[in-house]
């Protein structure tokens, strides 16, 4: 089965940390040493919709349902504290209850 077959709502608390050049992304970069960032908000919303419609359930990892999907084109990048960037082609939705947030990643969570 693919896609998410129930109503879920975007948790807006997590949007800014996955968008380029926001204070929340900068804070995450300083705290973790890296951040996973979408190209822009429109890409994030497109990725979320694609995963909701066609994503594969990858399991319950660290108490969150996870769904993911690979994309042919780059959806974002992983930026390191030193400024280096790695292009990202995998999108993941983390579901908690009826809320979700979407993350660009290098691969599915383990």
């Amino acid at each position: 089965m693919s896609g998410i077959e129930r109503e879920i709502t975007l948790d807006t608390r997590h949007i800014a940390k996955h968008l380029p050049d926001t204070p929340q992304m900068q804070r995450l970069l300083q705290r973790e040493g890296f951040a996973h960032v979408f190209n822009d908000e429109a890409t994030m919303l497109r990725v979320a919709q694609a995963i909701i419609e066609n994503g594969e359930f990858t399991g319950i990892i660290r108490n969150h349902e996870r769904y993911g999907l690979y994309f042919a084109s780059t959806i974002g990048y992983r930026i390191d504290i030193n400024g280096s960037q790695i292009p990202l082609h995998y999108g993941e939705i983390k579901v908690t209850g009826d809320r979700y947030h979407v993350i660009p990643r290098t691969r599915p969570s383990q």
Side-chain angles (χ1 to χ4, degrees):
M1 178 169 85
S2 64
I4 302 172
E5 307 247 340
R6 66 180 193 277
E7 283 293 315
I8 55 175
T9 305
L10 179 61
D11 189 342
T12 57
R13 296 175 298 167
H14 298 284
I15 292 174
K17 68 183 175 185
H18 296 298
L19 295 177
D21 303 319
T22 62
Q24 295 87 337
M25 184 278 285
Q26 292 295 331
R27 198 168 32 251
L28 184 63
L29 183 61
Q30 293 302 314
R31 186 176 56 227
E32 301 288 331
F34 62 90
H36 292 86
V37 182
F38 285 101
N39 293 331
D40 52 39
E41 189 170 0
T43 301
M44 180 194 73
L45 296 173
R46 180 179 53 82
V47 166
Q49 190 61 41
I51 296 170
I52 289 169
E53 292 173 3
N54 299 305
E56 293 296 321
F57 178 68
T58 58
I60 297 175
I61 302 163
R62 292 182 293 283
N63 297 320
H64 299 282
E65 288 178 52
R66 312 255 181 165
Y67 298 83
L69 192 62
Y70 281 99
F71 293 84
S73 60
T74 303
I75 61 170
Y77 53 92
R78 180 181 191 251
I79 185 169
D80 288 327
I81 194 80
N82 66 7
S84 66
Q85 296 182 7
I86 298 169
L88 301 175
H89 294 268
Y90 186 78
E92 181 177 79
I93 282 183
K94 272 174 63 170
V95 181
T96 305
D98 64 349
R99 294 207 172 278
Y100 74 91
H101 81 275
V102 60
I103 310 162
R105 298 184 48 84
T106 54
R107 59 176 165 53
S109 290
Q110 297 179 352

